[in-house]
Every structure is written in C-alpha cells, then in structure tokens.
Amino acid sequence: DAKMKGKNCYMIYEPRSVSAFRERHQLLEQIQHGLDNNEFILNYQPQISLKSDKVIGAEALIRWNHPTKGLQLPGDFLPAIENNVLEVKLGEWVLETALSQLQLWNEQALDIAISVNISPYHLMHPSFFSKVKALSEKYPFKKSSLVLEIVENGALQDINHVKDIIIRCADIGIAFSMDDFGTGYSSLSYLRQLPLSELKVDRTFIQNILTSEQDVEILKSIHKLSQVFGCRVVIEGVEKDQQYKMLSQMGFGFAQGYLISKPLPATKFEEWIAGYAHNKKSQGNKLIKRE
Ligand code: C2E
Ligand code: MG
Ligand code: MG
Ligand code: MG
C-alpha cells in the first residue's frame, strides 16, 4: 500500500521492506542450518510444589548458540518462523530433545515431569498427533510426565480440533496446560471448552501482588476457577520471597520463577537439583538456598 500513497512513499518504504524481507529470509536459512548443526539447546527451569517444596517438574525453554551473534533467546528468533514449516521442524526437535532428556532423568531416578511449549501452528499441523505418538513410543514416559503448554492465539480458532488433539494426547499420557493464562482474548472460553490439566498463570498477575489488592482478587478468582475446572495451577515469574509466601498462603499448588532458579542447561539443572535437595535437608526444609 506504500505504492498507493504516491511515489515519494514508495521510495521511502520499499527499500526498508525489501531489506526486512531479506533479513527474515537469512534468519530462516540460519535456523535451518542451526538445526542441522546442533546449535539449539534446551534449558530447564524447575517447578516446585508450594505445599511440599519438592521439585516436581521443569519447563524446557529453547536457546540458540548462534555462530556469530552468540546466545539467542526465543524472542530473537521464534517470531521469524511463525506459521512457517520451520516452526514445525523446530517444534519436533524440541519435543524429541525434551523426551530423550526425560528418559535420561527417569533412568537416573529423577522423577520429574517436563513441560514443553507448543506453538499453535505446530499444534494445528496435520502431522502433530502422529508425530507425538511416534515419539511417545520411542521414548516411553509415565502418565502426565509430559505436559504440553499452549497459548491462545488466532491459530487456535478451530477449538473442536484442539479439543480432539487434547483428548487423543490424554490417551497416551500427555497433559495440557494453558500458558500465560489470563492474558489472551478468550481464556475463560478456552477453560470451559478444553479439557486442560493445568493453568499456567502469567507472571504479570504476580508482579504486583504485594501492593495491589485488585491483583490479589484476580488471583483468588483464578484459584477458585481452577478448583471448579479441576486444573492444577502453576504460577510463573515468582521472583520474591514474599510473593512465594503469599501464594503458598493463598493455597496455590506450584511455582516457577527466578526466585527458585533461572532456566539452566541440563547438566547445570542436575547440579542445581542435587544442591537443592541437600540444602532442604540441612536447613530443615527451608525453601531456597540464598546467596
Ligand atoms: P513462557 O513459556 O511463558 O516461558 C516463561 C518465560 O519467562 C521464559 O522466557 C523464562 O525464562 C522467563 N522467566 C522465568 N521465570 C521468570 C521470572 O521470575 N521473571 C521473569 N521476568 N521472567 C521469568 P524465555 O525463555 O525467554 O521464553 C520466552 C517465551 O518463548 C516462552 O514464554 C515461550 O512462549 C517461548 N518459548 C520458549 N521456548 C520455546 C520452545 O521450545 N517452543 C516454543 N514454541 N516456544 C518457546
Ligand atoms: Mg511456557
Ligand atoms: Mg508463560
Ligand atoms: Mg510467555
């Protein structure tokens, strides 16, 4: 539409969009190359029970060791592959990597679940269920120890199809979580229509609970809703001791956030968990190792 605004605009805007197009194209090529060359890794962020202080799971979060740009976060490269076949390829890599890690940890008697973020486009892709089923046969796991986190998004329009996938996945032991719960356009309608096992409450609802009465009321409502719908709740983005205490007093089940640990590479995660268990014993169940 720059064209329609006359020649001057055309001169100004066109080169920019061409370079943006070229940049994105380059990024897509680099991502494909990165997949072929093992440049991607998963970091794991612990999730703990607010009732027992036990580590119950880990969320897998993708990172990219870019050969020239260094460590890239999801926000740096996931937007470029949205609704592209690469989103499916990368998503399949994430699933397989997480499942092989889960198998390794189970063999080491580390009894935790792994949560994996699934993009809406990947979830809706016709091959999704058959690929997941094949992976679940290659890396058998205990019921509910694979949790798939989905976000509401325009791509999830066909809610009956989403529901069908969730039900078929439940048959092979996979649980579903709604990520960033409360921030989407239709969280409540999704809650009503989809058989979800978990709500992952967005961190913006926790940020101000120490000062905002209103945010506390919202959290209380979410807690009630979760009971009505039989979902467990994981609160994300817990950064402060007082937040942790308050959430625990409010009766929430699970928490994740920098207060507990940042996302860590698998071996660092194993070290962290060993230290956490040790610390718990020696400090009489005091929660977090403080520096
Ligand atoms: P998310 O799934 O909501 O993940 C939580 C994000 O919050 C992560 O950012 C995590 O590092 C960060 N975080 C955790 N605790 C805290 C905290 O206490 N305070 C603050 N300020 N932040 C915290 P990250 O790793 O940059 O990921 C961003 C988003 O990218 C994720 O949000 C998820 O939507 C997406 N993502 C990450 N990995 C994958 C993946 O493997 N596949 C897909 N499809 N999406 C992914
Ligand atoms: Mg997530
Ligand atoms: Mg989230
Ligand atoms: Mg998010």
Side-chain angles (χ1 to χ4, degrees), residues 113-124:
I114 288 186
S115 295
V116 173
N117 294 284
I118 300 293
S119 78
Y121 183 75
H122 185 195
L123 183 75
M124 299 306 274

Side-chain angles (χ1 to χ4, degrees), residues 45-61:
Q45 188 177 34
Q47 302 178 331
I48 62 174
S49 161
L50 286 160
K51 307 240 155 80
S52 69
D53 285 349
K54 282 208 179 95
V55 180
I56 54 105
E59 179 176 9
L61 294 156

Side-chain angles (χ1 to χ4, degrees), residues 151 179-180 202 236:
V151 281
D179 204 352
D180 302 346
D202 193 70
E236 67 177 24

